[in-house]
Amino acid sequence: MLVRSRSRALLAVLVTVVTMGLALAQSPVAHAATTWDDPAQRIVDLTNQERASYNGAAALTRSASLDAVAQGWAEQLAANYAAALAKDPTAGVPLSHNPNTGTQIPSGWSAWGENVAWNKYYSDPVTQLANQWIASSGHHANMVSKSYNYIGVGYYKDKYGVSWGVQVFGGYSSSPDPSTSTSKTVTTTSVASDSGDSLTVRRSSTYYIKNELSGGEADEVVTYGRAGDTVLVGDWDGDGVDTLMVRRGNTFYVKNSLAGGNADKVFVYGRAGDVVLVGDWNGDGIDTLAVRRGNTYYLRNSLSGGDADTVLRYGRSTDTVLVGDWNGNGRDTLMVRRGSTYYVSNDLSGGNADAVVTYGRSTDTVLPGDWDGDGVDTLTVRRGSTYYIKNELAGGDADGVLTYGRSNDVVLPGNWDGE
């Protein structure tokens, strides 16, 4: 019986410092036993085999940061295909490059490149992806280029049987993975935790909710409020599920379910120009508000107007302040950020920090959350649409790296399913 086979590959070579020509393709590598538990590593191995046999180029080091960008785009290609089929069941398989690769991968590169491909009907689609790139002179040039010393790979097989592959290459003088030590590299390439907090992307008044720390399509899409609203996230009724609150001036519109429609509660607190923070200040399981004015904080333990229940001073008026339960005692407190250094307070009082931590870079966007469901909030560094997750309040390597959404999205952390 004739078995049909289809494949397609697309090339991008974006290089600074080095200008690459296209090399002739060599014979495809021989098929070997596929490592199905890590198809991305299989592609890395086949790429390094080709480098060694073709021109003796040094093996590429697999990078968690580049993996995350590549995996995110592989899953986005699959999502694009699903969307195309939803509109037209006869649609062809679309293939395109990630337009944001250069900004999503860590800075400091001297050169980068990207290969993308898809195939279907192959018994070993992982090896076939590598063979497709090797058989194409342009893609092959990326694979064997001595301008690159790091690689990231994304692989995703969708429900239609299409296998999507992405290679991201980078030339770096030091590891592109976040670490306080140049001798370490990140070995964890993804996070797929379904407990604890995860991410929601906001675009205008539409929210794309993800119930686990992974890339791919949103689990739920919700519209609430107006495009210009300020939005806060919290567990407003103590049911263990975070939902949305719209702020307009000093009026707050509370929603206790992830749905559109009218607010479940409306109240007024503070002034229109106040900075507002969300936290469970008294450990009752319900999030409420704190108004910040300079380095003075006015905490309210109920979702209502009136006088503050607690007033405290901490840090400096110019500090960036984060809120979380940093020691797992069930109460949220404050953390001051100065550059990439964090001053943690485990009680609602002034004075010296209880712990001082350095993580990431001073230019990073930082999100607090309980990423592993252990009851302790920690930090995630965001660079574009890539997230470097740390499950303890410490420096060092990220515990996981993932890509979700777009680099210009507003992102909200929260526990959206109560698990």
Side-chain angles (χ1 to χ4, degrees):
M1 180 177 69
L2 178 64
V3 178
R4 294 183 298 134
S5 65
R6 285 206 218 155
S7 62
R8 189 180 172 204
L10 188 65
L11 164 72
V13 182
L14 301 179
V15 180
T16 63
V17 180
V18 177
T19 301
M20 294 178 55
L22 300 183
L24 292 175
Q26 302 299 293
S27 299
V29 296
H31 281 244
T34 303
T35 307
W36 289 107
D37 59 341
D38 192 351
Q41 185 59 48
R42 176 74 181 137
I43 292 173
V44 173
D45 293 341
L46 291 170
T47 300
N48 281 331
Q49 288 176 25
E50 181 63 15
R51 288 171 69 87
S53 64
Y54 180 74
N55 61 358
L60 298 169
T61 299
R62 187 174 176 186
S63 159
S65 301
L66 302 187
D67 268 354
V69 176
Q71 185 65 33
W73 191 245
E75 294 179 13
Q76 185 61 54
L77 289 171
N80 293 346
Y81 182 40
L85 289 177
K87 294 180 179 179
D88 178 5
T90 66
V93 180
L95 193 65
S96 62
H97 283 292
N98 181 354
N100 300 310
T101 300
T103 58
Q104 289 179 353
I105 62 176
S107 60
W109 48 265
S110 59
W112 69 265
E114 180 186 70
N115 288 345
V116 300
W118 66 269
N119 64 52
K120 193 175 183 181
Y121 307 123
Y122 284 90
S123 60
D124 184 356
V126 177
T127 300
Q128 176 59 25
L129 286 168
N131 287 345
Q132 288 169 237
W133 287 320
I134 290 170
S136 165
S137 60
H139 299 85
H140 185 256
N142 263 347
M143 296 174 77
V144 301
S145 171
K146 294 182 180 180
S147 298
Y148 306 134
N149 53 356
Y150 286 91
I151 185 174
V153 174
Y155 174 79
Y156 187 78
K157 189 170 184 178
D158 65 23
K159 63 183 178 181
Y160 306 105
V162 177
S163 289
W164 304 89
V166 177
Q167 291 177 304
V168 175
F169 305 91
Y172 288 88
S173 59
S174 60
S175 173
D177 297 318
S179 173
T180 56
S181 169
T182 56
S183 64
K184 296 182 180 180
T185 58
V186 177
T187 56
T188 303
T189 60
S190 64
V191 176
S193 173
D194 59 1
S195 62
D197 291 338
S198 55
L199 305 177
T200 281
V201 160
R202 177 188 180 186
R203 296 170 187 162
S204 187
S205 60
T206 303
Y207 300 82
Y208 299 83
I209 300 165
K210 194 72 178 170
N211 289 327
E212 63 177 25
L213 284 173
S214 64
E217 298 180 8
D219 297 301
E220 190 172 358
V221 180
V222 172
T223 299
Y224 183 56
R226 305 168 185 165
D229 286 334
T230 298
V231 173
L232 306 172
V233 172
D235 180 1
W236 313 118
D237 59 1
D239 67 351
V241 177
D242 286 328
T243 54
L244 305 176
M245 177 190 288
V246 160
R247 177 189 180 186
R248 296 170 187 161
N250 66 340
T251 304
F252 300 85
Y253 300 81
V254 184
K255 193 70 179 176
N256 288 324
S257 61
L258 289 171
N262 295 328
D264 296 302
K265 184 174 185 177
V266 181
F267 68 97
V268 174
Y269 184 55
R271 306 168 186 165
D274 285 333
V275 174
V276 175
L277 306 173
V278 174
D280 179 2
W281 313 114
N282 62 356
D284 67 353
I286 297 175
D287 287 323
T288 54
L289 305 182
V291 161
R292 177 189 180 185
R293 297 170 187 162
N295 69 337
T296 304
Y297 300 83
Y298 301 84
L299 282 59
R300 183 78 178 159
N301 289 325
S302 62
L303 291 173
S304 61
D307 295 333
D309 296 298
T310 303
V311 180
L312 67 98
R313 290 179 175 82
Y314 185 57
R316 306 168 186 166
S317 61
T318 55
D319 287 332
T320 299
V321 174
L322 306 173
V323 173
D325 181 359
W326 313 117
N327 61 358
N329 70 351
R331 297 188 179 196
D332 289 329
T333 54
L334 306 179
M335 174 190 287
V336 160
R337 177 187 181 185
R338 296 170 188 164
S340 59
T341 303
Y342 300 82
Y343 300 83
V344 184
S345 181
N346 287 324
D347 57 31
L348 291 171
S349 64
N352 294 330
D354 295 299
V356 180
V357 174
T358 299
Y359 184 54
R361 306 168 184 164
S362 61
T363 55
D364 286 332
T365 299
V366 174
L367 305 172
D370 178 7
W371 309 112
D372 58 0
D374 67 351
V376 178
D377 288 321
T378 54
L379 303 179
T380 281
V381 160
R382 177 189 180 186
R383 296 171 188 163
S385 60
T386 303
Y387 300 82
Y388 302 86
I389 300 160
K390 192 72 176 173
N391 287 326
E392 60 179 331
L393 286 174
D397 299 329
D399 296 304
V401 183
L402 68 92
T403 298
Y404 184 55
R406 306 169 184 164
S407 60
N408 61 347
D409 283 333
V410 175
V411 175
L412 307 170
N415 189 334
W416 309 108
D417 59 0
E419 296 181 2

